[in-house]
Amino acid sequence: MASDASTKPKKGLLTSLANALASFELSVSILTFLMIVTLFGTLAQVDHGLYAAQKMYFESWFVSQPLGPLALPLPGGQLLMAALAVNLFFGGLFRIRKNKRTAGIIVVHIGIVVLLVSSLVKHRFSEDGRLTLYEGESGAEFIHYHDWEVAIHEVGPTENVKEWLIADEDIEVLRGDLERKVNSPDLPMELTLRGFVDNAKVVQAREGMRTALPVVDGYTVVPQDRNTANELNVAAIYVSILDRATGSIQDGILWGQDNYPLVVEAGGKEWAIRLRHERFEMPFGIELVDFQKEDHARMSMAASYSSDVLLIEGEERTPVHIRMNEPLRHKGMILFQSGWGPQDAAPGTPLFSTFSVVRNPSDQWPLISCIIIGVGMLIAFAMRLMGFVGKQMRARREETQGQGA
Amino acid sequence: MRGTTMRRDSIRRLFSASLLLALSVGAAGAQDAAQGEADPHAGHDHAAGDHSDHDHNHPFRDFAYSDEMLELAGSLPVQDGGRVKPLSTVAGFKLLKTNGKRTLRVGDDAPEGKLDPTAWMLDAMLFPAHSDHYEVFRVDNSDVLTAIGVETKDSRRGWYSYEDLAPGRGALGQKAQAAFNKEQKDRELLDNQFMALWSCLVDYERVTDTLSFTRVQLPLRSAPAVAEIYPEERPGLSAALEQFPALRTAFGDLGPDTASEDREALVGLVNALDGQMTRARGGMGFFAPSVSKEEQPEWMDVGQVIELTFSQADEVEGLVPVLAEFEAVEQAKLDPAGFTAALKTLHGSLKSRAEARGEYAKIPMERSFYAMDYFYRALQLFGVAFLFCALGWMLPRAGWISAAIWVPALLAEGLLITGIVMRCILRSRPPVSTLYETILFIAGTGVLVALVTEWITRKRMALNVAVIMGMLGMFLAGKYEFREAVSAGDTMPSLVAVLDTNFWLATHVTSITLGYAAGLLASAMGHAWLVMWALGKKRSNPKLMRDVKNMMYGVLCFALLFSVVGTILGGVWANDSWGRFWGWDPKENGALLICLSQLAILHARLGGLLKDLGLVLATIFGGMIVAFSWWHVNLLGVGLHSYGFTDGVLGNLMLFYFIETIVIGVALVSSVIGQLGGKPATS
């Protein structure tokens, strides 16, 4: 990750900067900070859960690590990864001496670059979620594990229903007094969103009930402690709908677990508004034909579970078997067998199967990087080992000759 | 599996419908006949703590079990924990779990004086009243007994018999249930001990109940309808089932005109069989089905055999005679010759049923694996080698010492590798798929790398490290085997669905474990360097110091290769299983920490930021990170990799961290003092 120790610095600001960015000192500092952040981020999962710890430590630019009454400022995982990429580029690829001795190391560094790029592509461009189907059911969209969206559509039409969506990043920041007005020329109304709560229940407001949040139509939002397993949290948000034609305002509460949408009138039509986990379309459909779970003999531990599905593309139906460690890869999508239920189903009860669904352009890049890194390390360390063995042999020969003389 | 469950349920419904039919025609008083008139042993109920087989007026054998008897009994195939294994393996782990050791001293209570697992299990099955006296329950904390009202012995840890514990059984059950209902993080040490003792107690009762069906004498009333079917007065279970078709016909003929005497007798008999079926459910799976293992992987227990008889299934054919062979063993238990013959017949039947499904082939190998006790013998040989190592430190110039260390070390390593290979064959798996196996593999590969290093360098340093590492590894394996016995009942358990892939077990798990092994070996070599440094070898033998440091550095490079490749392969596996390459799961982070620490060390060395002492201390610190990744992350209780039984490990880990921190701290302080005192810099 750095130039050879004997590289002499040249004058000039840019050169000095390049030297600093290529230096072993920077490499060691980044690696050490990465260790510290990884350690704290791992331990934090006990109290905060994986999702929150990941956001706080690994997908952040800076971390404020509590140490008793103090807070230790640290670089976040994102900043460290960026610094590592820069250091790797300058030191491990650009400034490093290029000769037989360093060939293996350069190959390793190329492999690490591929790995970092694949992580970046995954982070920026991938989508993941789940698709749950009962036997006999089919579906062509998957649901995000964590992110929410507000969806609006007209009530009535059953075909070619157009949806207006407000994305997670636009609503999850609306905490406390923050609010956002949402307008669309295609909609006869203006939405004002406010009071987002990560995990909440919506309950009937009783007389004398203490609540800091507004009561709407006799109901209010009661914030709950966040589950460390983030996918179990159910969000809620307040919404006001202004009918542009009449100027009337309707208030409502959107809750992630509502069975029915909030229905309002605007522009002489009825509109359904709901808060739900973000959804993504797949370029094909899936029908679950059969789900099988096999236990180990005379045990209740699952030995395997798998699903027979039909891959639906137009009129075409292709049978596919998906099981643990054997996902379906098709048209840039990957479907994994990840769950099933109901867990306590009586024999004969229809079962459902849950698939993790991922769209990841860099799906197989880590494997390529692994091969490159492995080959590079083998070259580097084999050369070193041969040098060491040769040296030992020579030393022993000299020792023997010395004794003979 | 769903098919199997459904079939069983339909059988159950069929039988229940018949029973309802009988009851609807006016059969009364069935309950009293069901169990009450049976043999005094029948009808005991574990849940209620009725251990009536443990009546003390029973004769006991006056002969020691012969090798042939133990071989025949020990190699009876049984399906347990998802695989077919010899009865001796089941016995070994149950005894280890209960007693803390694989042998049981019984003094004058049995002709042998000391029982091996199979002998203990035979006594518990055939002579439960007698085995109740054996002090087989290890209780580490006498407070457990005080809390359940059982009289304790003098010391905190003691061994107790079932008879000793029986008065506190009810209280123990309640305490264990209360502990079980708590969240794991809220359980105190005592809670875990209540649950552990309860589990041993219930296990023991199940063992003693295994052959209770052979002592059953079913209740017959002298009704003509029954006398026609069963000429003998009190038939055993096998005789009753043998004639079950006739019983079923008589049962089907029941009608309003049937004499009440006949009706009551028939219903009473059927109810008694139903009671036996319920009681025997969940017992040992001795009965291999006659169909192929692909068609029906599950073996049956006695309860299922009775159930099959009720359902007229074809599979039952040939199983009832096997029940009779078990009864013959029970009847011959006081006669050595008859007992051997009965065991031989039973063994032959069970073996041929298993062989017909291709499930017996590994039984003899597993018997020999446990009989050889490879890892304990390896520990002994490493111990011998260590004695010579110690002698070598006192007599550094004695040339013969090297050979004296090499011989037992090589033999020990040979045993260790043979044991690992045998486990691979027995499990049809790569060498590492459980935490226990990581210990064996890390010890095996660590020692191997150290021996190869020694062969190259001939400094005796790597040889010493190999011996110490092997000894510690085998000691740890022995300790952890006990924990596996407690938690999983076997060190070759069935694997969860995601681990059912030999490709990834062979690539990712093996690589990452090799990385652990090399990281720890490098750390061990660092300790060796540090000892020499403390002894002033830097001045007296600088070449040796340099060679050891180079060895350590080389092993660290080796560790980095396998840690990085193993970690990335783990990500590739996760990408295939869960849809993401990296999920910041604690185990993944642990592996990343190892890679980062080793990369930081190598870069710091290349950049001249670490001199010799710094390199060594950083490598020792790297060993702590390996320990964190190997064990500690599993203790966090979060993530997808929290497998393996790790209770009690935290204390040992903390001790390890503490010692290593002291070692590093003392070395740093000494170095600073040395430099301040004007001595030449040590490193």
Side-chain angles (χ1 to χ4, degrees), chain A residues 94-321:
Chain A
F94 187 58
R95 301 295 299 273
I96 190 169
R97 277 189 179 178
K98 292 160 189 78
N99 56 35
K100 211 170 78 179
R101 272 184 60 215
T102 58
I105 302 298
I106 293 171
V107 173
V108 171
H109 288 164
I110 292 170
I112 295 175
V113 169
V114 174
L115 191 61
L116 286 175
V117 171
S118 78
S119 306
L120 184 67
V121 171
K122 164 87 170 73
H123 184 60
R124 302 292 302 173
F125 302 110
S126 77
E127 290 156 354
D128 57 355
R130 65 174 190 279
L131 167 63
T132 297
L133 296 172
Y134 272 92
E135 287 170 338
E137 261 186 351
S138 58
E141 62 178 21
F142 60 100
I143 301 169
H144 200 280
Y145 289 111
H146 308 288
D147 290 353
W148 297 92
E149 65 185 7
V150 172
I152 306 152
H153 68 84
E154 188 187 336
V155 178
T158 52
E159 282 183 13
N160 298 324
V161 179
K162 185 176 179 187
E163 280 191 327
W164 285 263
L165 301 173
I166 305 167
D168 186 75
E169 59 262 32
D170 293 326
I171 54 177
E172 62 111 13
V173 292
L174 304 176
R175 295 156 199 269
D177 296 332
L178 279 181
E179 62 177 40
R180 169 166 278 138
K181 291 192 190 309
V182 182
N183 278 298
S184 165
D186 299 334
L187 284 173
M189 57 191 164
E190 179 186 274
L191 269 67
T192 305
L193 296 162
R194 72 179 79 82
F196 180 82
V197 179
D198 291 302
N199 190 27
K201 277 186 179 170
V202 175
V203 299
Q204 213 161 7
R206 295 182 308 276
E207 206 171 312
M209 183 178 178
R210 283 186 183 180
T211 171
L213 297 171
V215 176
V216 177
D217 292 338
Y219 286 85
T220 188
V221 172
V222 179
Q224 306 289 303
D225 288 340
R226 274 188 72 126
N227 284 297
T228 50
N230 190 60
E231 52 274 23
L232 299 179
N233 293 320
V234 183
I237 192 165
Y238 285 89
V239 60
S240 296
I241 302 105
L242 167 70
D243 183 342
R244 286 210 202 95
T246 64
S248 68
I249 294 176
Q250 298 165 71
D251 290 322
I253 297 172
L254 304 177
W255 186 41
Q257 221 164 40
D258 267 335
N259 290 324
Y260 301 101
L262 173 71
V263 177
V264 296
E265 267 190 41
K269 290 177 181 172
E270 280 194 328
W271 299 87
I273 308 172
R274 68 163 75 225
L275 179 67
R276 66 185 191 193
H277 276 298
E278 203 172 339
R279 282 152 198 233
F280 305 95
E281 284 287 327
M282 296 194 298
F284 52 84
I286 287 288
E287 181 184 330
L288 178 64
V289 178
D290 186 29
F291 170 79
Q292 303 108 35
K293 171 181 174 274
E294 285 178 19
D295 287 342
H296 286 291
R298 300 183 64 77
M299 294 181 84
S300 56
M301 181 198 282
S304 73
Y305 36 101
S306 60
S307 299
D308 284 319
V309 301
L310 288 176
L311 180 66
I312 306 167
E313 290 176 289
E315 294 302 307
E316 207 175 317
R317 303 279 188 281
T318 314
V320 179
H321 188 67

Side-chain angles (χ1 to χ4, degrees), chain B residues 14-27:
Chain B
L14 180 78
F15 181 67
S16 304
S18 312
L19 195 60
L20 277 174
L21 173 73
L23 293 171
S24 69
V25 291

Side-chain angles (χ1 to χ4, degrees), chain B residues 150-229:
Chain B
V150 168
E151 202 174 322
T152 60
K153 295 178 179 171
D154 295 338
S155 56
R156 190 167 176 78
R157 173 186 286 181
W159 277 260
Y160 294 82
S161 68
Y162 181 82
E163 199 174 40
D164 295 332
L165 301 178
R169 187 187 185 282
L172 180 63
Q174 287 170 3
K175 298 266 186 202
Q177 186 62 49
F180 182 77
N181 292 340
K182 289 183 185 176
E183 290 264 329
Q184 194 171 355
K185 62 180 170 49
D186 298 330
R187 285 185 201 141
E188 294 173 3
L189 179 64
L190 209 56
D191 289 324
N192 290 330
Q193 289 169 333
F194 284 135
M195 291 197 298
L197 183 58
W198 175 250
S199 171
C200 290
L201 206 70
V202 171
D203 263 10
Y204 173 76
E205 288 175 350
R206 283 198 185 130
V207 170
T208 58
D209 212 21
T210 305
L211 295 185
S212 62
F213 75 90
T214 62
R215 297 184 276 272
V216 164
Q217 291 181 324
L218 292 162
L220 290 188
R221 298 188 177 186
S222 53
V226 174
E228 230 173 75
I229 304 168

Side-chain angles (χ1 to χ4, degrees), chain A residues 1-2 5 24-25 27-28 31-32 34-36 38-39 41-43 45-46 49-50 54 58-59 81 109 112 115 118-119 122 128 135 145 290-299 301-305 323-327 329 334 336-338 347-351 356 358 360 362-364 366-367 369-370 373-374 377-378 381 384-385 388-389 391-393 395-396 399, chain B residues 1-2 5-6 9 79-83 282-285 297-301 304 453 455-459 494-501 504 543 547 550-551 553-554 557-558 560-562 564-565 568-569 572-587 589-590 592-593 596-597 599-600 602-604 606-609 621 625 628 632-633 636 638-639:
Chain A
M1 236 153 290
F24 280 114
E25 285 82 353
S27 313
V28 175
L31 292 168
T32 307
L34 263 176
M35 276 172 63
I36 294 169
T38 305
L39 181 66
T42 306
L43 297 176
Q45 292 182 25
V46 177
L50 173 62
Q54 191 172 330
F58 307 123
E59 292 178 7
M81 288 294 181
H109 288 164
I112 295 175
L115 191 61
S118 78
S119 306
K122 164 87 170 73
D128 57 355
E135 287 170 338
Y145 289 111
D290 186 29
F291 170 79
Q292 303 108 35
K293 171 181 174 274
E294 285 178 19
D295 287 342
H296 286 291
R298 300 183 64 77
M299 294 181 84
M301 181 198 282
S304 73
Y305 36 101
R323 52 174 294 162
M324 289 296 297
N325 297 314
E326 289 173 23
R329 286 189 158 84
I334 314 143
F336 305 85
Q337 180 68 62
S338 73
T349 312
L351 298 176
S356 288
V358 179
N360 178 14
S362 62
D363 178 37
Q364 295 294 312
L367 180 60
S369 88
C370 180
I373 291 171
M377 282 192 169
L378 275 178
F381 297 143
R384 192 178 169 83
L385 180 66
F388 178 69
V389 173
K391 208 169 154 186
Q392 291 293 322
M393 297 291 187
R396 265 217 306 284
E399 212 170 280
Chain B
M1 197 50 54
R2 284 172 66 203
T5 314
M6 286 168 66
D9 269 41
Q79 192 180 58
D80 175 73
R83 70 185 184 94
M284 284 197 197
E298 274 199 15
W299 287 29
M300 289 170 281
D301 53 44
Q304 289 165 310
T453 310
W455 182 74
I456 296 169
T457 58
R458 315 279 170 97
K459 306 286 180 198
S494 296
L495 300 180
V496 293
V498 71
L499 294 180
D500 185 22
T501 155
W504 289 115
K543 187 173 176 304
D547 285 343
N550 286 340
M551 275 183 237
Y553 190 80
C557 293
F558 180 83
L560 179 66
L561 168 66
F562 285 98
V564 169
V565 171
I568 300 177
L569 281 174
V572 177
W573 181 8
N575 197 29
D576 261 11
S577 299
W578 301 317
R580 88 290 185 284
F581 170 75
W582 196 260
W584 300 106
D585 177 272
K587 199 73 180 177
N589 292 353
L592 178 66
L593 279 171
L596 290 172
S597 66
L599 282 168
L602 295 189
H603 282 81
L606 283 171
L609 305 174
F621 178 73
I625 290 179
F628 177 82
H632 203 144
V633 290
L636 298 178
V638 288

